[in-house]
Amino acid sequence: MSFAFELAGRASAITLDTMPPEAGRVAARAFADTIGTALAGCRAGFLDGIERALEIAADAGPATKIGRHGRCHPLQAAVINGTAAHALDFDDCSTTMGGHPSAPVVPALLALAQDRGSSGRAVLSAYLAGVELELRLARAVMPHHYEKGWHPTATLGVFGAATASAHLLGLDPERMATALAIAVSMASGLKSNFGTPIKPLHVGQAAYNGLLAATLSEQGVTASHSAFEHEYGFFNVLNGAGTFDPQRALGDWLTSPDVLSPGIAIKQHPCCGSAHSAIDAALTLHRRHGPFRSGEITAIETWTHRRRLAHTDRPRPKTGLEAKFSVQFLTAKALTAGIVRLGDFDDSTFLDADTASLAALTRSIAHDEPNEYLGRVKVTLGDGRVVEASASTEFGRGPLNPMSDDELEAKFVDCAGASLDEKRARSLFRAILALDRAPSIEGIMTATQQG
């Protein structure tokens, strides 16, 4: 039996009824968080360029562009909404995946569900199947996959999107396996483009390619079911011999799903998750001793795991987007302001005088301790005092430290603020959490658009 078929058989068995009851709540919250982050990211300037490149005509299809005007073909909506969901790097995270599980999957499902008139319950079941598959596949290839330079949110997310779309289409395991085999040839995304608009485009492209793979399979297009394990297949080409273990992806998915443990974490800070531990350590110092001002400090030192520092060591960010990947900027912002907000990354205002001065004083050091999420911040004050703190934040608020629904709603309202007034945003949030009772998602998607 091919590896693609092994995966498809397990994913096909997943529904809201076969998974633990808590999984449905996790899925609904993931939809709320992803739609919220798309509402926040939908005004990124580069999305206009993507729309022009795709030649999207006004109201040329059934699928909604979240927070933007008009409708389009489902494949176009998948790439636009997927890119928007990751545009601000504020979408949910998984330590298993080393990336963002929902952003490639939710946009593909929303576009397809609008086109096919699917129920909310069917959409949530498909989401759980797709995300569980991409997380299980991550177990087979991580951490080498990430260390080699691949962007797992894209290279693994495409399989989540393909699986979820195939599940929503009602494809049997044979055709779902074909969709996965097609997606093997569409898996891409390199870390060299982190800190640029191409990183969020990776996610939009994964949503697009996953949806395309499933619809191609539905139309009878075939592919090699040995595309994963082949000599020139996914494992050997993207990872390399001796760096993967397909058996780690198998086992019983229903009794101990990865979506529940280690689970999905919701981001509290709107920036790269690899900097969250340093931010949280700096926030601890702000609560104890702050706020800090540039004239009071002579030196700042941060420690981040070598793997995480590799793409957050940007001492002099030139744009708001680069600042999201600068542990120096983010530490300085947390020390001065006591919070990191969406508005802190506006290109015209992000580098205020205090933050710029403190970022310039910050020296970031790599550590190799077993806890790769550990971050430390040490501040030397002008009077000679030294204050320091540490934190270990696994990319966001996960099952061990979950966001309450009220906290998630506050994040949603903040994210939606550029597109919706507070009343509409709160109403939309409540509707998404009740997605399992919705006969369709049309009302929810219509409510995401500008008035």
Side-chain angles (χ1 to χ4, degrees):
M1 184 181 296
S2 72
F3 184 74
F5 194 84
E6 291 271 18
L7 294 177
R10 288 163 173 79
S12 295
I14 290 178
T15 68
L16 284 178
D17 293 327
T18 60
M19 293 282 269
E22 176 63 13
R25 180 173 181 272
V26 168
R29 283 164 56 91
F31 269 82
D33 192 59
T34 306
I35 291 172
T37 55
L39 282 166
C42 69
R43 297 189 181 220
F46 52 79
L47 281 167
D48 296 333
I50 295 172
E51 284 210 28
R52 289 193 296 271
L54 292 173
E55 298 183 350
I56 296 177
D59 294 316
T64 298
K65 292 177 286 181
I66 294 172
R68 299 173 70 84
H69 292 295
R71 295 190 175 210
C72 57
H73 188 279
L75 287 169
Q76 294 173 326
V79 70
I80 292 295
N81 293 338
T83 304
H86 195 55
L88 302 181
D89 219 284
F90 205 11
D91 44 316
D92 65 21
C93 307
S94 159
T95 56
T96 300
M97 188 178 183
H100 306 263
S102 297
V105 175
V106 169
L109 283 175
L110 293 175
L112 182 59
Q114 273 195 288
D115 187 36
R116 302 299 176 98
S118 307
S119 71
R121 192 169 182 83
V123 168
L124 292 175
S125 290
Y127 168 86
L128 290 171
V131 170
E132 190 66 28
L133 183 138
E134 69 186 6
L135 297 180
R136 295 291 176 149
L137 187 56
R139 294 185 184 188
V141 298
M142 294 290 283
H144 182 80
H145 189 77
Y146 187 88
E147 293 168 347
K148 192 169 183 180
W150 296 111
H151 181 195
T153 307
T155 55
L156 303 179
V158 66
F159 299 109
T163 300
S165 300
H167 195 288
L168 193 61
L169 289 169
L171 302 189
D172 62 22
E174 183 77 17
R175 289 205 169 183
M176 185 182 286
T178 299
L180 289 168
I182 295 170
V184 165
S185 286
M186 299 174 172
S188 188
L190 299 175
K191 286 162 59 180
S192 58
N193 267 315
F194 279 18
T196 79
I198 303 307
K199 182 176 188 275
L201 180 59
H202 288 170
V203 182
Q205 197 67 35
Y208 176 103
N209 283 336
L211 177 55
L212 177 61
T215 52
L216 286 172
S217 182
E218 182 191 37
Q219 293 300 317
V221 177
T222 60
S224 169
H225 278 200
S226 65
F228 283 97
E229 63 269 33
H230 192 278
E231 179 184 2
Y232 301 117
F234 178 83
F235 290 130
N236 283 309
V237 173
L238 270 70
N239 259 56
T243 67
F244 59 88
D245 181 2
Q247 291 303 310
R248 295 189 64 205
L250 303 179
D252 185 354
W253 294 12
L254 298 178
T255 56
S256 55
D258 200 296
V259 294
L260 296 184
S261 180
I264 294 174
I266 295 173
K267 270 193 172 183
Q268 188 168 5
H269 310 304
C271 56
C272 180
S274 291
H276 281 204
S277 291
I279 292 171
D280 286 343
L283 291 176
T284 296
L285 292 178
H286 184 278
R287 287 192 297 271
R288 292 175 181 169
H289 311 285
F292 294 91
R293 296 289 177 259
S294 56
E296 304 166 350
I297 293 174
T298 59
I300 301 170
E301 293 173 291
T302 75
W303 285 264
T304 303
H305 192 277
R306 189 174 305 280
R307 187 181 298 126
R308 308 297 169 194
L309 187 60
H311 54 271
T312 58
D313 187 11
R314 285 179 170 80
R316 286 175 288 278
K318 296 180 177 63
T319 66
L321 183 56
E322 286 186 1
K324 286 176 172 285
F325 293 85
S326 168
V327 70
Q328 296 88 350
F329 169 88
L330 295 165
T331 301
K333 177 60 69 174
L335 288 171
T336 58
I339 192 171
V340 179
R341 295 188 177 94
L342 282 168
D344 292 335
F345 303 98
D346 184 287
D347 280 340
S348 62
T349 60
F350 79 96
L351 210 55
D352 62 88
D354 260 356
T355 306
S357 177
L358 289 186
L361 292 174
T362 302
R363 183 169 72 101
S364 293
I365 304 160
H367 73 71
D368 294 297
E369 297 187 33
N371 180 1
E372 65 182 79
Y373 299 104
L374 178 66
R376 293 198 300 271
V377 174
K378 177 181 174 181
V379 177
T380 303
L381 300 170
D383 61 9
R385 286 183 299 138
V386 174
V387 295
E388 53 189 308
S390 62
S392 180
T393 307
E394 295 187 350
F395 286 160
R397 300 276 296 278
L400 298 179
N401 181 30
M403 272 192 181
S404 68
D405 284 351
D406 286 345
E407 288 176 312
L408 181 57
E409 183 175 6
K411 176 183 174 180
F412 184 90
V413 170
D414 185 34
C415 285
S419 302
L420 308 176
D421 62 46
E422 183 176 341
K423 182 178 179 181
R424 286 181 62 195
R426 293 190 186 280
S427 176
L428 176 57
F429 177 80
R430 290 190 293 270
I432 298 169
L433 287 196
L435 187 57
D436 64 322
R437 300 191 294 275
S440 78
I441 65 161
E442 186 60 39
I444 286 172
M445 294 307 292
T446 300
T448 68
Q449 292 203 293
Q450 297 171 347

